[in-house]
């Protein structure tokens, strides 16, 4: 990246699990973290969105740290950087804000240090930093991501043929992933694991074949985390009971919560959203779409910056 150039990195948020696809299924959403960055003699992160003002503005900022660690892994040192950041991804609500920040940091290092990373390298880096490929893979690749992470590699299938309406119910209260994971069992019997995995397998097959009624049934039949987390997110059960009557075919906790996701066939979102607003007037209802493009990186030259044009 040359002096005077600016890079614009736009990363979609995501939802993970869809119920029984625990730590292995992610779906990209049209909520975005946007980073506008240029080389500088020091590190400075300027928040454009007010909620982001709680985070450090110097080199200790999480995105800068991800970028530094990525550069270091490839034997480079990240130069100073001045960046402006905005985001409409709700923080600590289970909609992939941390995974989006990780992807943004990796992309920032890739551009500033001219690493020329492949998509697979970015996928593996982000998945290992996040701990699993669901949110990170969706934010990077877009669409539906089904993946697993082993010591040796990350394996992901990216699907962009599914069209759905997505409605997110976002409470005002935060729920940290660490707290939400703390209520999960530390071990299962073999029989329990087989049953829970079977539910997830059927859900994936139903989604891919367009059998949305069956997919919704499997989402509500999750055994991995819904039964344990419902006491922390009581609105999940309320939405599960009401959403089918409003036009949604499936309901799931979004990631670790507390946001809850409703899936509906294309065109049904307005009715579902309106019904949920009446049911839960104190919560934010977000009619969303699947982001099929994933992370985008665009450069602006000094001349184009002055003219307001993209490369």
């Amino acid at each position: 990246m040359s002096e005077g150039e600016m890079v614009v990195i736009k990363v979609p948020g995501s939802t993970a699990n869809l119920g029984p696809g625990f730590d292995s299924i992610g779906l990209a959403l049209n909520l975005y973290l946007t980073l506008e960055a240029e080389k500088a003699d020091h590190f400075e992160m300027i928040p454009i969105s007010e909620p982001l003002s709680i985070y450090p503005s110097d080199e200790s900022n999480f995105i800068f740290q991800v970028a530094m660690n990525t550069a270091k892994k490839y034997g480079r040192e990240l130069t100073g950087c001045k960046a402006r950041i905005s985001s409409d991804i709700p923080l600590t609500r289970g909609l992939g804000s941390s995974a989006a920040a990780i992807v943004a940091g990796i992309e920032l290092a890739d551009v500033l240090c001219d690493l020329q990373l492949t998509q697979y390298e970015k996928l593996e880096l982000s998945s290992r930093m996040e701990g699993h490929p669901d949110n990170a893979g969706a934010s990077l690749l877009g669409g539906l991501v089904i993946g697993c992470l082993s010591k040796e590699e990350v394996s992901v299938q990216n699907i962009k043929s599914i069209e759905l309406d997505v409605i997110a119910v976002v409470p005002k209260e935060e729920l940290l992933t660490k707290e939400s994971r703390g209520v999960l069992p530390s071990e299962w019997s073999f029989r329990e694991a087989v049953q829970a995995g079977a539910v997830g397998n059927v859900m994936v097959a139903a989604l891919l074949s367009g059998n949305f009624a069956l997919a919704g049934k499997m989402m509500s039949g999750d055994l991995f985390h819904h039964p344990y987390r419902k006491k922390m997110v009581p609105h999940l059960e309320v939405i599960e009971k009401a959403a089918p009557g409003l036009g949604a075919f499936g309901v799931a906790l979004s990631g670790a919560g507390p946001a809850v996701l409703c899936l509906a066939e294309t065109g049904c979102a307005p009715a579902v959203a309106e019904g949920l607003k009446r049911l839960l007037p104190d919560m934010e209802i977000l009619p969303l779409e699947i982001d099929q493009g994933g992370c985008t990186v665009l450069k602006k030259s000094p001349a184009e910056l002055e003219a307001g044009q993209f490369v």
Side-chain angles (χ1 to χ4, degrees), residues 10-29:
K10 189 175 182 180
V11 189
S14 59
T15 185
N17 304 331
L18 300 186
F22 191 71
D23 279 0
S24 61
I25 295 180
L27 188 67
L29 303 173

PDB file of all heavy atoms in Angstrom, residues 10-29:
ATOM      1  N   LYS A  10     -14.738  -3.600   4.459  1.00  0.00           N
ATOM      2  CA  LYS A  10     -16.132  -3.729   4.896  1.00  0.00           C
ATOM      3  C   LYS A  10     -16.423  -5.191   5.196  1.00  0.00           C
ATOM      4  O   LYS A  10     -16.299  -6.053   4.321  1.00  0.00           O
ATOM      5  CB  LYS A  10     -17.074  -3.203   3.809  1.00  0.00           C
ATOM      6  CG  LYS A  10     -18.525  -3.087   4.241  1.00  0.00           C
ATOM      7  CD  LYS A  10     -19.352  -2.432   3.141  1.00  0.00           C
ATOM      8  CE  LYS A  10     -20.813  -2.255   3.568  1.00  0.00           C
ATOM      9  NZ  LYS A  10     -21.618  -1.623   2.487  1.00  0.00           N
ATOM     10  N   VAL A  11     -16.793  -5.466   6.455  1.00  0.00           N
ATOM     11  CA  VAL A  11     -16.953  -6.846   6.914  1.00  0.00           C
ATOM     12  C   VAL A  11     -18.372  -7.061   7.434  1.00  0.00           C
ATOM     13  O   VAL A  11     -18.824  -6.323   8.318  1.00  0.00           O
ATOM     14  CB  VAL A  11     -15.957  -7.177   8.042  1.00  0.00           C
ATOM     15  CG1 VAL A  11     -15.998  -8.676   8.355  1.00  0.00           C
ATOM     16  CG2 VAL A  11     -14.546  -6.745   7.684  1.00  0.00           C
ATOM     17  N   PRO A  12     -19.089  -8.063   6.915  1.00  0.00           N
ATOM     18  CA  PRO A  12     -20.434  -8.313   7.430  1.00  0.00           C
ATOM     19  C   PRO A  12     -20.417  -8.993   8.797  1.00  0.00           C
ATOM     20  O   PRO A  12     -19.489  -9.738   9.128  1.00  0.00           O
ATOM     21  CB  PRO A  12     -21.041  -9.248   6.379  1.00  0.00           C
ATOM     22  CG  PRO A  12     -19.875  -9.949   5.777  1.00  0.00           C
ATOM     23  CD  PRO A  12     -18.743  -8.951   5.786  1.00  0.00           C
ATOM     24  N   GLY A  13     -21.464  -8.724   9.568  1.00  0.00           N
ATOM     25  CA  GLY A  13     -21.678  -9.460  10.800  1.00  0.00           C
ATOM     26  C   GLY A  13     -22.209 -10.848  10.468  1.00  0.00           C
ATOM     27  O   GLY A  13     -22.319 -11.232   9.294  1.00  0.00           O
ATOM     28  N   SER A  14     -22.569 -11.597  11.476  1.00  0.00           N
ATOM     29  CA  SER A  14     -22.991 -12.974  11.230  1.00  0.00           C
ATOM     30  C   SER A  14     -23.783 -13.519  12.406  1.00  0.00           C
ATOM     31  O   SER A  14     -23.763 -12.970  13.508  1.00  0.00           O
ATOM     32  CB  SER A  14     -21.771 -13.871  10.985  1.00  0.00           C
ATOM     33  OG  SER A  14     -20.902 -13.839  12.115  1.00  0.00           O
ATOM     34  N   THR A  15     -24.452 -14.608  12.144  1.00  0.00           N
ATOM     35  CA  THR A  15     -25.064 -15.389  13.210  1.00  0.00           C
ATOM     36  C   THR A  15     -24.462 -16.783  13.153  1.00  0.00           C
ATOM     37  O   THR A  15     -24.079 -17.254  12.075  1.00  0.00           O
ATOM     38  CB  THR A  15     -26.597 -15.454  13.072  1.00  0.00           C
ATOM     39  OG1 THR A  15     -27.143 -16.140  14.213  1.00  0.00           O
ATOM     40  CG2 THR A  15     -27.023 -16.179  11.806  1.00  0.00           C
ATOM     41  N   ALA A  16     -24.348 -17.422  14.292  1.00  0.00           N
ATOM     42  CA  ALA A  16     -23.760 -18.764  14.334  1.00  0.00           C
ATOM     43  C   ALA A  16     -24.735 -19.762  14.945  1.00  0.00           C
ATOM     44  O   ALA A  16     -25.632 -19.397  15.706  1.00  0.00           O
ATOM     45  CB  ALA A  16     -22.466 -18.757  15.154  1.00  0.00           C
ATOM     46  N   ASN A  17     -24.533 -21.006  14.589  1.00  0.00           N
ATOM     47  CA  ASN A  17     -25.215 -22.178  15.142  1.00  0.00           C
ATOM     48  C   ASN A  17     -26.530 -22.525  14.443  1.00  0.00           C
ATOM     49  O   ASN A  17     -26.768 -23.668  14.105  1.00  0.00           O
ATOM     50  CB  ASN A  17     -25.472 -22.061  16.650  1.00  0.00           C
ATOM     51  CG  ASN A  17     -24.227 -21.805  17.452  1.00  0.00           C
ATOM     52  OD1 ASN A  17     -23.141 -22.218  17.054  1.00  0.00           O
ATOM     53  ND2 ASN A  17     -24.351 -21.112  18.568  1.00  0.00           N
ATOM     54  N   LEU A  18     -27.430 -21.538  14.285  1.00  0.00           N
ATOM     55  CA  LEU A  18     -28.796 -21.822  13.807  1.00  0.00           C
ATOM     56  C   LEU A  18     -29.425 -22.951  14.605  1.00  0.00           C
ATOM     57  O   LEU A  18     -30.171 -23.781  14.079  1.00  0.00           O
ATOM     58  CB  LEU A  18     -28.798 -22.172  12.306  1.00  0.00           C
ATOM     59  CG  LEU A  18     -28.263 -21.102  11.349  1.00  0.00           C
ATOM     60  CD1 LEU A  18     -28.467 -21.546   9.899  1.00  0.00           C
ATOM     61  CD2 LEU A  18     -28.933 -19.753  11.577  1.00  0.00           C
ATOM     62  N   GLY A  19     -29.089 -22.997  15.888  1.00  0.00           N
ATOM     63  CA  GLY A  19     -29.596 -24.056  16.763  1.00  0.00           C
ATOM     64  C   GLY A  19     -28.601 -25.187  16.846  1.00  0.00           C
ATOM     65  O   GLY A  19     -27.548 -25.077  17.499  1.00  0.00           O
ATOM     66  N   PRO A  20     -28.866 -26.310  16.173  1.00  0.00           N
ATOM     67  CA  PRO A  20     -28.027 -27.506  16.341  1.00  0.00           C
ATOM     68  C   PRO A  20     -26.707 -27.496  15.585  1.00  0.00           C
ATOM     69  O   PRO A  20     -25.928 -28.446  15.716  1.00  0.00           O
ATOM     70  CB  PRO A  20     -28.930 -28.638  15.827  1.00  0.00           C
ATOM     71  CG  PRO A  20     -29.792 -27.972  14.804  1.00  0.00           C
ATOM     72  CD  PRO A  20     -30.058 -26.591  15.356  1.00  0.00           C
ATOM     73  N   GLY A  21     -26.434 -26.464  14.795  1.00  0.00           N
ATOM     74  CA  GLY A  21     -25.145 -26.404  14.094  1.00  0.00           C
ATOM     75  C   GLY A  21     -24.090 -25.768  14.973  1.00  0.00           C
ATOM     76  O   GLY A  21     -23.353 -24.862  14.532  1.00  0.00           O
ATOM     77  N   PHE A  22     -23.962 -26.233  16.195  1.00  0.00           N
ATOM     78  CA  PHE A  22     -23.155 -25.581  17.225  1.00  0.00           C
ATOM     79  C   PHE A  22     -21.682 -25.498  16.834  1.00  0.00           C
ATOM     80  O   PHE A  22     -21.049 -26.499  16.528  1.00  0.00           O
ATOM     81  CB  PHE A  22     -23.301 -26.338  18.550  1.00  0.00           C
ATOM     82  CG  PHE A  22     -22.730 -25.602  19.723  1.00  0.00           C
ATOM     83  CD1 PHE A  22     -23.344 -24.472  20.221  1.00  0.00           C
ATOM     84  CD2 PHE A  22     -21.569 -26.046  20.320  1.00  0.00           C
ATOM     85  CE1 PHE A  22     -22.807 -23.790  21.302  1.00  0.00           C
ATOM     86  CE2 PHE A  22     -21.031 -25.372  21.406  1.00  0.00           C
ATOM     87  CZ  PHE A  22     -21.655 -24.235  21.891  1.00  0.00           C
ATOM     88  N   ASP A  23     -21.148 -24.255  16.828  1.00  0.00           N
ATOM     89  CA  ASP A  23     -19.733 -23.979  16.531  1.00  0.00           C
ATOM     90  C   ASP A  23     -19.310 -24.430  15.137  1.00  0.00           C
ATOM     91  O   ASP A  23     -18.116 -24.533  14.853  1.00  0.00           O
ATOM     92  CB  ASP A  23     -18.807 -24.626  17.576  1.00  0.00           C
ATOM     93  CG  ASP A  23     -18.695 -23.783  18.844  1.00  0.00           C
ATOM     94  OD1 ASP A  23     -19.327 -22.714  18.918  1.00  0.00           O
ATOM     95  OD2 ASP A  23     -17.976 -24.209  19.768  1.00  0.00           O
ATOM     96  N   SER A  24     -20.268 -24.698  14.257  1.00  0.00           N
ATOM     97  CA  SER A  24     -19.889 -25.188  12.931  1.00  0.00           C
ATOM     98  C   SER A  24     -20.670 -24.550  11.787  1.00  0.00           C
ATOM     99  O   SER A  24     -20.266 -24.690  10.628  1.00  0.00           O
ATOM    100  CB  SER A  24     -20.067 -26.716  12.857  1.00  0.00           C
ATOM    101  OG  SER A  24     -21.420 -27.071  13.083  1.00  0.00           O
ATOM    102  N   ILE A  25     -21.763 -23.847  12.081  1.00  0.00           N
ATOM    103  CA  ILE A  25     -22.569 -23.229  11.029  1.00  0.00           C
ATOM    104  C   ILE A  25     -22.659 -21.734  11.268  1.00  0.00           C
ATOM    105  O   ILE A  25     -22.939 -21.277  12.382  1.00  0.00           O
ATOM    106  CB  ILE A  25     -23.984 -23.834  10.977  1.00  0.00           C
ATOM    107  CG1 ILE A  25     -23.907 -25.312  10.578  1.00  0.00           C
ATOM    108  CG2 ILE A  25     -24.862 -23.071   9.992  1.00  0.00           C
ATOM    109  CD1 ILE A  25     -25.248 -26.002  10.502  1.00  0.00           C
ATOM    110  N   GLY A  26     -22.397 -20.958  10.222  1.00  0.00           N
ATOM    111  CA  GLY A  26     -22.501 -19.503  10.304  1.00  0.00           C
ATOM    112  C   GLY A  26     -23.236 -18.952   9.096  1.00  0.00           C
ATOM    113  O   GLY A  26     -23.208 -19.544   8.015  1.00  0.00           O
ATOM    114  N   LEU A  27     -23.884 -17.815   9.277  1.00  0.00           N
ATOM    115  CA  LEU A  27     -24.628 -17.168   8.213  1.00  0.00           C
ATOM    116  C   LEU A  27     -24.297 -15.685   8.233  1.00  0.00           C
ATOM    117  O   LEU A  27     -24.470 -15.011   9.253  1.00  0.00           O
ATOM    118  CB  LEU A  27     -26.127 -17.383   8.434  1.00  0.00           C
ATOM    119  CG  LEU A  27     -27.090 -16.945   7.319  1.00  0.00           C
ATOM    120  CD1 LEU A  27     -26.898 -17.821   6.081  1.00  0.00           C
ATOM    121  CD2 LEU A  27     -28.528 -17.033   7.812  1.00  0.00           C
ATOM    122  N   ALA A  28     -23.802 -15.155   7.104  1.00  0.00           N
ATOM    123  CA  ALA A  28     -23.433 -13.743   7.031  1.00  0.00           C
ATOM    124  C   ALA A  28     -24.680 -12.874   6.931  1.00  0.00           C
ATOM    125  O   ALA A  28     -25.640 -13.224   6.236  1.00  0.00           O
ATOM    126  CB  ALA A  28     -22.522 -13.499   5.825  1.00  0.00           C
ATOM    127  N   LEU A  29     -24.668 -11.732   7.605  1.00  0.00           N
ATOM    128  CA  LEU A  29     -25.819 -10.834   7.651  1.00  0.00           C
ATOM    129  C   LEU A  29     -25.435  -9.446   7.145  1.00  0.00           C
ATOM    130  O   LEU A  29     -24.278  -9.040   7.237  1.00  0.00           O
ATOM    131  CB  LEU A  29     -26.347 -10.725   9.082  1.00  0.00           C
ATOM    132  CG  LEU A  29     -26.743 -12.045   9.756  1.00  0.00           C
ATOM    133  CD1 LEU A  29     -27.079 -11.810  11.228  1.00  0.00           C
ATOM    134  CD2 LEU A  29     -27.917 -12.699   9.027  1.00  0.00           C
TER     135      LEU A  29
END
